[in-house]
Amino acid sequence: MTGSTFSRRQLLVASVAAGAGLTLAIGVRARRRTVRGDPDGPNPGVWIRIAPDETVTITLDRTEMGQGVMSALPAILAEELEVPWEAVRVTPVVDDPAVWFREVGTAASRSVSRSFDLLRRAGAAAREMLIAAAAEDWAVDPASCVAISGVVHHRPSGRSLTYGSVADRAAKLDVPTAPRLKHPDSFRLVGQPLPRLDTREKVDGSARFGIDVELPGMLIASIERSPVFGGTVKRVDSAAALALPGVRAVVTLDPIGQTKSSPGVWRTYTEAGVAVLADGYWSALAGRRALTIEWDEGGSQNVSTSALRQQFVREAEHPGVVARATGDAEAALSTAARRIDAVYEVPLLCHATLEPMNCSADVRSDRCEVWAPVQKQTEAQRVAAATSGVPIAKVRVHTTLLGGGFGRRQENDFVAEAVRLSREVGRPVKVIWSREDDTRHGFYRPAVRNHLTAALDSAGRPVAWTHRIIGMSIADWKFNRLNRGVDRWLVEGAVDLPYAIPNIRVEQTIVDVPIPRGFFRSTGASHNCYVTECLIDELAKLAGRDPYLFRRSLLAAKPRYLAVLDLAAERAGWDDPLPAGVSRGIAVLGYSGSFVAVVAEVVLDSKQRPIPTRVVCAIDCGLPVNPDVIAAQLESSVAFGLSAALYGEIEIDRGRVRQSNFHDYRILRLSEMPRVESHIVPSRDAAGGVGELGVAAVIPAFCNAAFAATGTPIRRLPLVRNSSPLSAPT
């Protein structure tokens, strides 16, 4: 494979420190303003340090939240660098005081895809510098040398030098701008099931999550927030709370972000509340329970799930904004032989991360430091600067491990709370949310109502498809920004319907309600894939066709869709007779540069409710980095998606969230988890995302299996509406 030249936007900087080995910084010029250092200066997203003791430390601008990114990305760099896996160490970029950084954050399954080429070139550049340093030491041609597993060999003489022994000399050399990349056939790390770099610390308990942070003199805060969306504090009596042992202060917090942000600027939103600060969490919680608060509930007490559904129904009577128009769907419907009219509904969903929201902050007159499990470090820094009044260049964000993100930790409301409280009391403060806080004060996956019509011609071929999406807008809430009136996150998974249907029309209607909403794992695809793939099954039944073969006939021009569809069907034994009482469903999705097909098998319990027993996933994510991490992400997606399909629902009553904890916001239990099989399509295509698309695809696969079992399509989620667990199968 030929070398690859760094573009004008990319920059390499070699740094020399006596006895410290080779330090190489690789990054890009900022597309937006930088948050530290010279706004026109370098913004390395990756640092490589090769020490004399042979360890290789890689500093990355991504966040580890269980998805394995801090193992996958180092493998890409270590592959080109040619170092043994056991020598690799990794650390987040913003924990390094020497690093200027660009927009830092992790979301939308883009960590590997956006960093793959840059990391390869970074590793290759460092490898060539080390080879050149060894060749200079021997006074030989670098072309006669080769690097293998952290050692440079001179093939004619048999001499060798370790990376550590030549790292100081390498640091003095110019950085190659067109390093030669390895051919994928020679990869030794990429594509292999390498052990994760964070396993040991998570097993021995040394891993530090946000909730583990401890600082000298730190107070713990628990906050009683407005029980309704947009409420404010009218009066608070804190005497009883302040009388309790360990309670040090009570602080009233006004809301932030009640008005919409400027177009294109991320909106910061926090609810009004009263914080109790104490020496420990349980003292703070006891003080919080002792507060007497009178709330001004404003107009949000009229918001309810039933009122929202009625509003959706009313809005469906009016035309929406056209998001896609292919052919003439209305004309095709008027002459079609057979048609289906269907309404599909999905509810609000909570992220339900295992680690509740938390943040530690220390605000001083000249600086602000934040320790937090956040997905968007750059945004956390901006929020901390705005909240503390400290210049942004003096704000440090220390990234901890995340106990789950799923999009919830893209928000920085908990960061704003901790910073405000630390500024108020002049001491370090850690804000800890309870599980009830997390459930009742989140940023929810929007509720959506879908009106669809699909039609067949006399030969059973689909000729028309219309889809009207009525729901809540993330783009309008977060950014006050719609592209020609369309929220791309509301319609994704619908406007990009992959099937060869000649006439397609997709419309969108936005309903504005005062319910905080945010990005959810697979965002719009989390509901639109369910809707579209379930309707495809309904069409297949109307046409008298097998659901797998029906899809296959409509994807003839989509080879990557076909590859995963065929692999999933083959490994699931689609053509084999099913055991008595077992039914199957299938679904396919392209998302974030990858493609997945899922086959789900179910049996019915004593109440005729479907129980998932087996799930087979086939994924094409381009060139796979670590098969074990990919499989783990698919298994995680199955658990997450099935939790939503079976139990997930946030209900609103008088402006209040009814659910509070895992007893009434159920997630899949270990005993309910089906057997999951994961299969990877071999590929040399560009790397795509892995962490989200399985969530969206497993929901319709499961619902289609339930449709096959009962003969009734599942048009409203969740399936189990009272949160009671499934019973043993019949």
Side-chain angles (χ1 to χ4, degrees), residues 46 62 183 434 458 470 506 596 656 696 705 721:
V46 181
R62 300 296 176 183
H183 193 281
S434 68
S458 57
I470 305 104
V506 179
V596 72
R656 294 160 168 79
R721 310 199 74 83

Side-chain angles (χ1 to χ4, degrees), residues 381-729:
Q381 187 185 46
R382 291 173 181 158
V383 168
T387 307
S388 66
V390 174
I392 197 165
K394 298 294 184 181
V395 176
R396 290 274 316 278
V397 176
H398 304 266
T399 308
T400 66
L401 292 172
L402 281 66
F406 315 134
R408 174 60 179 93
R409 285 186 161 96
Q410 292 190 64
E411 311 295 339
N412 287 283
D413 50 329
F414 49 96
V415 173
E417 290 173 342
V419 169
R420 291 167 76 186
L421 291 172
S422 177
R423 182 189 64 184
E424 180 75 20
V425 301
R427 294 174 61 175
V429 171
K430 175 161 64 174
V431 170
I432 301 178
W433 290 40
S434 68
R435 176 61 57 192
E436 289 77 11
D437 294 334
D438 240 17
T439 304
R440 289 177 168 163
H441 302 281
F443 291 78
Y444 304 101
R445 198 284 304 271
V448 181
R449 182 180 175 92
N450 302 267
H451 287 241
L452 301 103
T453 300
L456 303 171
D457 64 15
S458 57
R461 294 183 297 258
V463 292
W465 178 285
T466 65
H467 184 178
R468 179 172 296 169
I469 303 167
I470 305 104
M472 302 151 61
S473 170
I474 295 175
D476 198 32
W477 170 268
K478 296 293 181 194
F479 308 107
N480 193 23
R481 181 187 65 201
L482 297 173
N483 183 12
R484 298 188 304 277
V486 174
D487 179 347
R488 67 183 180 91
W489 293 294
L490 186 57
V491 300
E492 68 177 348
V495 294
D496 47 352
L497 190 75
Y499 298 108
I501 302 173
N503 304 285
I504 299 175
R505 185 178 180 88
V506 179
E507 296 180 7
Q508 170 210 269
T509 297
I510 291 175
V511 176
D512 191 19
V513 291
I515 299 174
R517 53 266 195 191
F519 296 106
F520 188 81
R521 196 174 179 185
S522 74
T523 318
S526 70
H527 50 85
N528 284 326
C529 183
Y530 152 66
V531 172
T532 58
E533 285 297 290
C534 285
L535 193 67
I536 286 290
D537 256 43
E538 290 195 51
L539 268 184
K541 183 174 182 179
L542 184 66
R545 300 282 304 281
D546 173 87
Y548 158 57
L549 296 178
F550 186 69
R551 284 175 171 80
R552 220 181 173 285
S553 68
L554 299 175
L555 293 170
K558 306 277 187 175
R560 296 185 75 181
Y561 280 94
L562 279 179
V564 293
L565 189 68
D566 289 344
L567 182 58
E570 174 195 342
R571 296 305 176 93
W574 187 271
D575 293 330
D576 299 337
L578 283 166
V582 178
S583 299
R584 279 198 194 109
I586 194 168
V588 66
L589 173 68
Y591 186 84
S592 192
S594 295
F595 303 84
V596 72
V598 178
V599 174
E601 295 181 0
V602 304
V603 296
L604 298 180
D605 72 359
S606 58
K607 298 180 181 179
Q608 297 300 293
R609 298 177 301 183
I611 299 176
T613 57
R614 181 189 181 209
V615 173
V616 178
C617 303
I619 188 170
D620 172 1
C621 55
L623 186 65
V625 176
N626 188 326
D628 279 358
V629 169
I630 294 169
Q633 281 299 288
L634 289 172
E635 291 160 5
S636 163
S637 295
V638 167
F640 197 88
L642 288 178
S643 294
L646 281 165
Y647 303 118
E649 183 174 29
I650 288 292
E651 298 172 290
I652 311 299
D653 181 29
R654 296 179 298 115
R656 294 160 168 79
V657 174
R658 291 183 58 187
Q659 285 72 24
S660 61
N661 208 315
F662 286 134
H663 71 285
D664 55 6
Y665 189 83
R666 289 266 282 113
I667 62 174
L668 206 68
R669 295 177 180 171
L670 186 60
S671 60
E672 298 171 314
M673 184 68 183
R675 177 163 56 97
V676 181
E677 303 167 27
S678 302
H679 305 280
I680 302 171
V681 175
S683 176
R684 292 282 179 83
D685 288 313
V690 173
E692 297 182 274
L693 73 170
V695 172
V698 74
I699 296 173
F702 168 67
C703 291
N704 286 335
F707 178 30
T710 64
T712 301
I714 309 299
R715 293 180 175 175
R716 185 183 176 192
L717 295 179
L719 272 74
V720 182
R721 310 199 74 83
N722 60 2
S723 294
S724 63
L726 298 171
S727 56

Side-chain angles (χ1 to χ4, degrees), residues 83 101 144 310 324 424 445 498 591 666:
V83 293
F101 62 94
S144 65
Q310 292 169 11
R324 175 181 176 181
E424 180 75 20
R445 198 284 304 271
Y591 186 84
R666 289 266 282 113

Side-chain angles (χ1 to χ4, degrees), residues 154-201:
H154 182 235
R155 289 174 291 193
S157 67
R159 288 176 291 181
S160 63
L161 287 170
T162 65
Y163 279 1
S165 65
V166 297
D168 283 344
R169 181 188 291 269
K172 299 179 177 67
L173 302 178
D174 291 335
V175 180
T177 57
R180 187 175 182 83
L181 303 180
K182 295 170 65 174
H183 193 281
D185 287 345
S186 65
F187 284 172
R188 297 184 302 108
L189 299 179
V190 170
Q192 300 303 311
L194 301 173
R196 287 176 56 147
L197 297 177
D198 58 354
T199 299
R200 178 179 293 276
E201 63 182 20

